[in-house]
Amino acid sequence: MNWGWTRSGLHIPVFLIIIGAPSAHATDFAYTTFAVPGATATYAYGINESGAIVGSSVASNSWVSGFVGDGNTFTTFLAPAAYVNTPGNTAYGINDSGQIVVNAPNTLGGSENYIYNGTTFSLIGGVLTGNYPAISSVIARGINNLGQVVGDVNFVGGGGSGFLNNGGVISLISAPGASATRVNGVNDSGQTVGAAFMSGAYEGFVDTGGTFNVINVPGSSYTLPYGINGTGQIVGVTNLSGNEQGFVDIAGKFSLLSVPGSTWTDAYGINGKGQIVGSAIISGTSVGFLATPVPLPATVWLLASGLVLLVTTARQPRNA
């Protein structure tokens, strides 16, 4: 079927030893918020290695446009199938070559999926073979540096599956035991992240070569992973005590993300530098945000290096 779219005696105080053994990753971030000029709402979904950010913006006349920018300047665009007064024409992901995945609702009630290079929109095409239910809609949500595209399909009558489009060869992705699977992101190793609907609730997952591992923020009512970078760092959205927050999962350690002054924070994309983009509600308005990891101060690194040298020297045997 042609669809037509294309993870010796020297004692050093304990507190100094702790300082001298810094964490391998940062859990603190510096936040910057932004809004597309003239927009009543801004949603940021993806970021590449050079810091190009993509997403969607809503204008005062309810037009929804995709955008690409750096947090200061923005260019908006409309895909050929897009029409106004819809929740669509969203740019979901961007790779390091600047290829942007765009989903645009059409006038027939469905949607079209494109790769946009800043100048030209190209329909995402591919062929799926095998037995599967009739498909009602297809949404492309992520792209890696190999040009592989991921997303999800909805079936007529309910349920759905994720997919991976590798050069037009399309494979469905379904988490074991799930009634519906949604795939949001993919890295260059082919690891995908998303959410599976099981027992009336969504569970997050990372899929590595067909092996699914559950991702659940402790104490949350749901965990929805959206992005994964080349080192396997994962970002997404979780709900704790009714409060929606972003999270980053670094080697199994969860850190919550909260833009200062916001009522909720959603994290959607992460690049290889650990920079995270998403959206936050501030004073009732949705704005985009960029969260940049805060490195340890240089004085701490110098202290750490000095302590390592001191301990090493102290342990050297004395000459007779």
Side-chain angles (χ1 to χ4, degrees), residues 91-176:
Y92 280 113
I94 182 170
N95 64 16
D96 293 344
S97 298
Q99 294 178 309
I100 303 169
V101 167
V102 181
N103 176 261
N106 58 34
T107 55
L108 300 177
S111 68
E112 306 291 347
N113 297 282
Y114 300 88
I115 290 179
Y116 178 54
N117 64 8
T119 303
T120 305
F121 289 90
S122 302
L123 278 170
I124 301 174
V127 177
L128 173 69
T129 59
N131 297 319
Y132 52 87
I135 294 170
S136 60
S137 64
V138 179
I139 301 177
R141 299 185 183 275
I143 186 170
N144 64 14
N145 290 323
L146 304 178
Q148 297 172 323
V149 175
V150 294
D152 49 80
V153 300
N154 295 310
F155 300 133
V156 174
S161 175
F163 72 83
L164 171 68
N165 185 330
N166 185 10
V169 178
I170 300 166
S171 305
L172 293 182
I173 300 173
S174 295

Side-chain angles (χ1 to χ4, degrees), residues 3 128 131-133 135 150-155 158-164 170-184 192-198 203-213:
W3 288 11
L128 173 69
N131 297 319
Y132 52 87
I135 294 170
V150 294
D152 49 80
V153 300
N154 295 310
F155 300 133
S161 175
F163 72 83
L164 171 68
I170 300 166
S171 305
L172 293 182
I173 300 173
S174 295
S179 59
T181 302
R182 173 174 167 173
V183 176
N184 296 316
T192 64
V193 291
F197 195 71
M198 297 183 180
E203 286 190 351
F205 69 81
V206 56
D207 171 20
T208 305
T211 299
F212 289 79
N213 291 312

Side-chain angles (χ1 to χ4, degrees), residues 38-120:
T40 60
T42 299
Y43 305 91
Y45 292 114
I47 182 171
N48 67 10
E49 200 73 2
S50 63
I53 301 167
V54 296
S56 65
S57 63
V58 182
S60 57
N61 60 2
S62 297
W63 285 34
V64 181
S65 300
F67 75 80
V68 57
D70 60 7
N72 294 303
T73 60
F74 304 88
T75 300
T76 59
F77 51 82
L78 284 174
Y83 67 107
V84 300
N85 299 321
T86 73
N89 192 53
T90 298
Y92 280 113
I94 182 170
N95 64 16
D96 293 344
S97 298
Q99 294 178 309
I100 303 169
V101 167
V102 181
N103 176 261
N106 58 34
T107 55
L108 300 177
S111 68
E112 306 291 347
N113 297 282
Y114 300 88
I115 290 179
Y116 178 54
N117 64 8
T119 303
T120 305

Side-chain angles (χ1 to χ4, degrees), residues 231-271:
T231 60
Q233 297 173 338
I234 298 167
V235 295
V237 177
T238 191
N239 189 297
L240 295 168
S241 303
N243 182 32
E244 194 161 282
Q245 290 183 267
F247 74 85
V248 57
D249 173 5
I250 302 177
K253 178 181 178 180
F254 293 94
S255 298
L256 297 179
L257 303 168
S258 185
V259 175
S262 67
T263 53
W264 81 55
T265 299
D266 293 342
Y268 295 120
I270 184 170
N271 65 13

